[in-house]
Amino acid sequence: MSQASEISLEALAARAERAGLSEPPVEQWNPPDCGSMDLRIRQDGTWVHEGQPIHRDALVRLFATILRREADGRFVLVTPVEKLTIEVEDAPFLAVEMSAESRDGAGHLAFRTNVGDLVEAGADHPLRFVSDADGFRPYLLVRGGLEARLTRSLAFDLAGLAEERGGQWGIASGGAFFPLPDMPDHV
């Protein structure tokens, strides 16, 4: 049995509740742009300030609550009075746990991110896939244009849940179907 099916939605919710903070209304704030901040979110999910990893999880979670993606694709930390651009190497979050459950005759996939968000994949929180020479990388829309890249182990668990519909392989969750990309011939 895969790890995904062993974790219940309730367990994910409890972990997210312990880790998470309430989300401020960053989409409603329109402060002046104050330049950039030497803050980078690495591809592995590490937040780095002025070249040093941030080791305080509570601080990372706090920053994550004020992170926003602008229409031009920039990532910014925003408060009611200032906006600072930061660098994100891939996706700002990682999906680190997954729960696969069947409810009302349909499959539901819920994910917990490294910063405590709990998100169920579906029409409002779609999965998308990027294919390359190494296979495919799955991403989940968390909120406001911010995505979580599934960890490698979750990507393998997710691949095990693929099903075929009308000749297309994909992942079903919350009444939505997310087609997997065609894989290059040399993979």
Side-chain angles (χ1 to χ4, degrees):
M1 182 181 290
S2 74
Q3 180 182 4
S5 60
E6 294 174 10
I7 300 171
S8 72
L9 181 59
E10 291 78 22
L12 282 184
R15 290 177 188 155
E17 184 177 313
R18 285 194 306 269
L21 299 171
S22 61
E23 291 180 26
V26 296
E27 300 300 327
Q28 298 173 15
W29 296 339
N30 192 23
D33 193 333
C34 298
S36 63
M37 177 181 188
D38 187 3
L39 181 68
R40 169 183 290 165
I41 305 173
R42 292 184 185 155
Q43 187 171 353
D44 68 1
T46 303
W47 292 55
V48 178
H49 180 252
E50 297 181 348
Q52 299 298 315
I54 299 174
H55 296 290
R56 293 180 52 207
D57 290 339
L59 185 57
V60 168
R61 286 191 308 271
L62 176 64
F63 280 149
T65 66
I66 60 170
L67 183 62
R68 180 170 81 188
R69 185 143 195 202
E70 298 291 272
D72 63 8
R74 288 180 306 138
F75 292 91
V76 297
L77 295 179
V78 62
T79 71
V81 297
E82 66 183 349
K83 176 172 42 175
L84 295 162
T85 301
I86 68 166
E87 184 180 338
V88 177
E89 291 181 356
D90 187 8
F93 310 131
L94 292 176
V96 295
E97 288 184 302
M98 177 174 71
S99 171
E101 296 183 350
S102 180
R103 293 192 313 268
D104 304 322
H108 295 268
L109 301 174
F111 298 87
R112 186 181 64 82
T113 70
N114 61 321
V115 294
D117 290 298
L118 180 62
V119 182
E120 185 172 303
D124 292 337
H125 299 279
L127 289 164
R128 76 174 178 93
F129 305 95
V130 175
S131 63
D132 59 24
D134 295 326
F136 71 89
R137 290 186 318 264
Y139 295 84
L140 172 70
L141 180 62
V142 176
R143 57 182 149 81
L146 301 174
E147 292 182 312
R149 182 177 45 79
L150 276 65
T151 62
R152 188 171 181 84
S153 63
L154 283 188
F156 283 118
D157 287 346
L158 191 67
L161 299 173
E163 59 186 71
E164 186 178 9
R165 289 188 181 177
Q168 173 70 55
W169 283 90
I171 304 295
S173 179
F177 185 75
F178 307 102
L180 291 171
D182 292 330
M183 300 305 292
D185 292 335
H186 62 280
V187 176

